[in-house]
Amino acid sequence: MILEQHYTKCLAQGAYYIASAGEAVIIDPLREVQQYIDRAAQDNVTIKYVFLTHFHADFVSGHVDLADKTGATIVLGPNAETSYAFAKAKHGQVFKVGDVSFTLLHTPGHTMESSCYLLRDEEGIEKAIFTGDTLFIGDVGRPDLAAKSDLSTEDLAGHLYDSLRKEIMTLTDDIIVYPAHGAGSACGKSMSKETYDTLGNQKKTNYALAEDLSKEDFIKELTTGIAPPPAYFPKNVWMNKGVNSSIDEIIARGNTPMNAVSFKALVDDNEYLVLDVRSPQEYTACSIPGSWFIGLDGQFAPWIGALIEDIDQKIIFIAPEGREEETVTRLARVGYDNALGYLNGGIEAWKNAGFATQQIKNITAQEFIDGLSDNSILNPIDARKPGEYNNGHVNGVPLYTLDNIHTDVDTLKADYTYHIYCGGGYRSVIFASIAAANGINNVVNVEGGYGAIKKTNLGTQKIVETTTCSL
């Protein structure tokens, strides 16, 4: 048997490839499915099944594409409804793959169709469980995403409590837990950075599996302090229930080079968003006025989903040379299928054509602290998340979290100069770019963000830190 975890860090998402005796199964595949087909060809095995643990909210799965290309059967748990053909499995149903088997365990709670797949090896011994969003390492899935008028968040949390105790905690301690997500995903509150663990260790360390945890306390813990889900979550769920454009078609359309003149014509068209996915340093040095920065080398897909409110938005882009197809693919992972071309030759081609550019000023963390001290910096901004801010920030600096920029930008004044920091200098450039696109041009970026600020000579400035604890 071959068992591989394919972990995509920028999505904090785990897909799985398991092969045995000429057959294979893919669990929770990403949208670009050729990698699984190639892997199966390498082992000379046939992909027999595509298992989904549930209708994912934070990425678009490639299960339909993969089934079409391989003849594999898509399997989902009870309560699932789709517009494509699939096998609706019953609780306890067994699927043979080569010499190993998978038993579907229906575990409603995160969503009502949520299911886990228990792997038994060639000897029939329980080896691993693929838990989707039912059980993470250090956490469990949030129960609010599938709440409806007849089923509240509290109802779903109650179902999850029962599922964990009836179907998961009764399994042997030495099996390995393989979840669908890790730290960085918005599907949980406090996931560990580890991407798998033994069930026994999770029983000892995961608050949700504590034997003395009452159902009432579990529901209270799970339903308290949940941040609003990103706007694209319900759209990704909807897409995962239907048949979408092939990833091949999307890449062919989006990976189209455009010369500077043709690109400029679309830049001037309000229907198009100009996305710059280079590094923060490249963007601040020289960019196209009105363009948004969301760099590939960061939490790209989550910020795309959080900030581009229309999932059907037409997008043209500037990418590092050789990473154009990657850009289109990573947009499509979260359902942004309307990438329609990139600037061939990059920003140099734009400048050579004589078109206008913009720059964003950078200062060091020490210059920022010194400016606060001598009152030459009057309008500082912290662009991180509330939890980060509450854990520690520069005294007196207000929070304008990047998640809320589309509403907060209206409160900024075009004739003011703002100095902005985030955790490390990525989100602050996104903030500055969107502010500039809305007419707030005097935004100065603090390089290295809060991480660099804490290492400066603070002088008269103070860091406010809060110690928190949780279950």
Side-chain angles (χ1 to χ4, degrees):
M1 178 177 65
I2 300 171
L3 191 163
E4 293 178 350
Q5 181 186 60
H6 294 198
Y7 197 79
T8 304
K9 190 174 181 180
C10 70
L11 274 180
Q13 193 268 338
Y16 298 92
Y17 168 87
I18 304 100
S20 170
E23 296 180 332
V25 60
I26 310 296
I27 302 176
D28 294 335
L30 285 184
R31 194 164 188 184
E32 64 271 28
V33 299
Q34 190 59 43
Q35 57 185 317
Y36 311 118
I37 297 170
D38 293 343
R39 185 68 185 88
Q42 181 182 332
D43 291 337
N44 194 29
V45 300
T46 299
I47 298 176
K48 187 176 183 180
Y49 295 115
V50 182
F51 292 159
L52 286 195
T53 54
H54 65 296
F55 295 119
H56 297 273
D58 49 356
F59 72 98
V60 179
S61 174
H63 53 295
V64 176
D65 243 2
L66 185 57
D68 285 345
K69 291 179 176 178
T70 63
T73 298
I74 300 169
V75 178
L76 279 154
N79 301 322
E81 299 294 338
T82 73
S83 63
Y84 48 80
F86 74 104
K88 183 185 291 188
K90 298 177 181 177
H91 176 73
Q93 188 167 342
V94 177
F95 297 86
K96 291 286 291 184
V97 177
D99 293 331
V100 303
S101 70
F102 293 84
T103 301
L104 184 142
L105 304 178
H106 185 212
T107 52
H110 173 64
T111 64
M112 287 307 289
E113 82 282 359
S114 282
S115 298
C116 301
Y117 296 89
L118 176 63
L119 168 64
R120 289 186 173 87
D121 68 8
E122 297 85 346
E123 307 299 322
I125 299 171
E126 296 175 358
K127 300 298 291 186
I129 186 161
F130 303 89
T131 54
D133 288 16
T134 295
L135 176 63
F136 298 130
I137 306 305
D139 203 353
V140 292
R142 56 192 296 171
D144 60 312
L145 299 179
K148 301 174 183 175
S149 58
D150 61 338
L151 203 60
S152 69
T153 296
E154 288 73 18
D155 293 334
L156 286 164
H159 280 297
L160 184 54
Y161 180 88
D162 293 337
S163 293
L164 290 167
R165 274 145 185 81
K166 290 178 181 176
E167 310 299 342
I168 305 294
M169 293 176 68
T170 53
L171 300 172
T172 56
D173 286 355
D174 58 348
I175 67 170
I176 306 298
V177 176
Y178 289 111
H181 299 297
S185 167
C187 282
K189 290 194 295 186
S190 57
M191 283 179 264
S192 169
K193 64 180 181 181
E194 284 74 26
T195 61
Y196 61 90
D197 194 9
T198 63
L199 180 58
N201 195 48
Q202 283 303 294
K203 289 178 181 177
K204 295 176 183 174
T205 60
N206 190 327
Y207 73 92
L209 302 187
E211 289 191 1
D212 59 350
L213 181 64
S214 71
K215 189 171 187 176
E216 182 182 29
D217 287 344
F218 178 88
I219 292 172
K220 183 179 180 181
E221 170 65 18
L222 228 60
T223 57
T224 301
I226 305 175
Y232 73 103
F233 268 31
K235 296 169 185 172
N236 277 195
V237 171
W238 177 80
M239 293 180 74
N240 282 325
K241 293 180 178 178
V243 178
N244 305 298
S245 300
S246 160
I247 188 66
D248 300 331
E249 297 172 17
I250 295 167
I251 291 174
R253 185 171 60 234
N255 192 21
T256 301
M258 304 173 69
N259 64 39
V261 173
S262 298
F263 198 81
K264 176 70 163 55
L266 299 185
V267 169
D268 294 337
D269 186 334
N270 290 333
E271 288 191 10
Y272 290 80
L273 173 67
V274 185
L275 186 64
D276 194 320
V277 304
R278 300 175 296 155
S279 70
Q281 295 76 19
E282 290 171 312
Y283 181 85
T284 55
C286 185
S287 61
I288 295 175
S291 63
W292 289 17
F293 164 78
I294 303 179
L296 283 174
D297 295 327
Q299 289 289 314
F300 177 75
W303 283 117
I304 289 289
L307 297 173
I308 302 179
E309 295 172 314
D310 180 4
I311 203 167
D312 297 318
Q313 173 69 54
K314 296 176 181 176
I315 296 170
I316 53 176
F317 62 94
I318 303 175
E321 185 176 359
R323 300 184 70 182
E324 295 86 3
E325 180 174 327
E326 177 188 350
T327 302
V328 179
T329 301
R330 291 173 65 178
L331 285 167
R333 283 177 180 169
V334 283
Y336 290 79
D337 293 356
N338 280 328
L340 299 170
Y342 66 89
L343 177 59
N344 194 23
I347 199 68
E348 289 302 315
W350 181 265
K351 290 193 293 185
N352 291 339
F355 298 134
T357 61
Q358 68 177 6
Q359 292 77 43
I360 292 175
K361 184 179 178 181
N362 290 301
I363 62 171
T364 67
Q366 189 63 60
E367 289 172 327
F368 174 69
I369 289 297
D370 293 344
L372 289 177
S373 299
D374 65 19
N375 293 321
S376 60
I377 290 177
L378 300 176
N379 302 295
I381 286 176
D382 187 324
R384 297 175 297 158
K385 291 182 179 293
E388 296 172 280
Y389 184 86
N390 291 336
N391 284 337
H393 61 272
V394 180
N395 190 34
V397 175
L399 176 67
Y400 285 79
T401 182
L402 177 59
D403 296 87
N404 296 333
I405 187 171
H406 294 310
T407 52
D408 287 347
V409 74
D410 292 336
T411 68
L412 303 180
K413 299 182 185 303
D415 55 344
Y416 280 23
T417 296
Y418 297 93
H419 290 74
I420 183 169
Y421 70 80
C422 61
Y426 175 81
R427 286 171 287 176
S428 55
V429 177
I430 298 176
F431 192 110
S433 74
I434 296 176
N438 284 273
I440 312 298
N441 291 303
N442 298 319
V443 179
V444 179
N445 177 55
V446 180
E447 293 179 309
Y450 186 69
I453 288 170
K454 290 211 302 181
K455 297 176 182 176
T456 64
N457 177 7
L458 291 170
T460 60
Q461 299 303 307
K462 294 182 179 177
I463 298 289
V464 179
E465 292 186 326
T466 303
T467 301
T468 60
C469 61
S470 59
L471 282 174

